[in-house]
């Protein structure tokens, strides 16, 4: 088994498959999912390192973003199952590829093959897996606490990478807090690379938090009102 990245990345079954990338998050007051104020989502894993984007044996994983990119199965882009500000595999957690398919009611129920199955990344909401040996897994959503952010309402149930329930809680903040952010820009990461280091740089300005992420992760920066 290849463990997923720290911060909610789903684990893959091993062999040549890619696990999900973990989120990078800024949290205030408490170290849990419900005190996150900036989340940069991780990318989804690919089926193996030999596939080429949109060519044969392509099971590429999606990149992160405000609305995450999905994944490919045998070079076919899967249009549904996109993580965003209100929907995904689970709040904060990406899906792990399973031999018996997804336990999430919206996930893919019919698995294909036993190896080469990528797992999804972790973010504001985690991504879904294809559960297919020529398929990748979804990238995940990024999020920033700002005036136009979509805030979670009520209690949220959150799950582990196999969709076993962990617990319930409410998001800690609203837009009346003094530490919300403005001038937020979201950029999806890159699909291609297969391990190549790709850096995007933003010029430094005062009172700004800057985040640089590599390969399939989302890239984000935001300026604090404080």
């Amino acid at each position: 088994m290849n463990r997923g990245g720290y911060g909610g990345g789903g684990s893959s079954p091993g062999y040549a498959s890619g696990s999900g990338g973990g989120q990078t998050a800024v949290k205030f007051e408490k170290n849990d999912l419900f005190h996150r104020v900036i989340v940069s989502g991780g990318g989804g894993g690919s089926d193996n390192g030999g596939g080429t984007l949109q060519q044969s044996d392509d099971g590429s994983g999606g990149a992160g973003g405000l609305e995450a990119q999905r994944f490919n199965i045998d070079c076919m882009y899967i249009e549904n199952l996109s993580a965003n500000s209100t929907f995904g595999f689970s709040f904060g957690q990406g899906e792990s590829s399973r031999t018996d398919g997804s336990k999430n009611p919206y996930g893919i129920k019919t698995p294909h093959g036993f190896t080469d199955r990528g797992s999804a990344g972790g973010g504001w909401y985690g991504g879904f897996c294809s559960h297919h040996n020529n398929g990748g897994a979804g990238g995940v959503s990024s999020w920033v606490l700002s005036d136009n952010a979509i805030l979670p309402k009520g209690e949220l149930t959150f799950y582990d990478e196999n969709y076993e329930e962990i617990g319930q809680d409410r998001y800690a903040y609203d837009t009346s807090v003094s530490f919300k952010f403005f001038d937020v820009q979201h950029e999806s990461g890159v699909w291609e690379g297969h391990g190549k280091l790709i850096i995007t740089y933003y010029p430094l300005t005062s009172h700004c938090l800057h985040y640089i992420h590599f390969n399939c992760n989302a890239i984000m920066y935001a300026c604090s009102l404080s």
Side-chain angles (χ1 to χ4, degrees):
M1 175 181 287
N2 296 325
R3 290 290 182 188
Y6 178 79
S11 301
S12 71
Y15 189 56
S17 55
S19 55
Q23 65 191 279
T24 299
V26 176
K27 305 171 185 177
F28 289 165
E29 300 181 313
K30 192 174 181 181
N31 184 20
D32 65 14
L33 296 176
F34 298 89
H35 289 75
R36 297 178 294 169
V37 295
I38 297 179
V39 180
S40 183
S46 61
D47 63 326
N48 61 57
T52 301
L53 186 67
Q54 297 181 349
Q55 295 184 27
S56 63
D57 190 27
D58 177 24
S60 295
L66 185 61
E67 180 168 349
Q69 293 171 344
R70 293 79 157 178
F71 49 85
N72 285 355
I73 297 178
D74 278 332
C75 196
M76 181 178 294
Y77 185 58
I78 306 304
E79 293 289 346
N80 58 356
L81 299 180
S82 177
N84 55 42
S85 294
T86 60
F87 174 77
F89 171 73
S90 178
F91 191 61
Q93 176 65 53
E95 184 173 25
S96 179
S97 183
R98 297 169 49 87
T99 57
D100 54 353
S102 181
K103 294 178 67 177
N104 183 295
Y106 297 98
I108 293 176
K109 304 299 183 184
T110 305
H112 189 280
F114 293 96
T115 60
D116 278 22
R117 292 177 287 117
S119 294
W124 181 247
Y125 271 89
F128 289 89
C129 291
S130 66
H131 302 283
H132 194 290
N133 66 340
N134 279 335
V140 300
S141 53
S142 301
W143 191 86
V144 177
L145 179 59
S146 60
D147 279 331
N148 60 354
I150 300 175
L151 296 172
K153 296 180 180 179
E155 285 199 339
L156 297 177
T157 303
F158 56 107
Y159 301 83
D160 68 9
E161 63 183 359
N162 292 307
Y163 210 67
E164 298 292 336
E165 183 176 332
I166 297 174
Q168 295 180 329
D169 209 339
R170 293 175 179 268
Y171 185 65
Y173 307 119
D174 58 35
T175 56
S176 68
V177 296
S178 62
F179 47 78
K180 61 189 174 184
F181 298 86
F182 67 99
D183 289 343
V184 177
Q185 297 187 29
H186 295 269
E187 297 288 343
S188 291
V190 296
W191 282 72
E192 297 182 85
H194 296 302
K196 296 176 183 176
L197 183 63
I198 299 176
I199 300 174
T200 298
Y201 170 76
Y202 289 103
L204 183 65
T205 58
S206 60
H207 306 298
C208 289
L209 299 175
H210 292 261
Y211 296 88
I212 298 175
H213 298 277
F214 305 134
N215 208 1
C216 285
N217 282 8
I219 303 160
M220 176 190 305
Y221 73 93
C223 297
S224 171
L225 284 172
S226 59

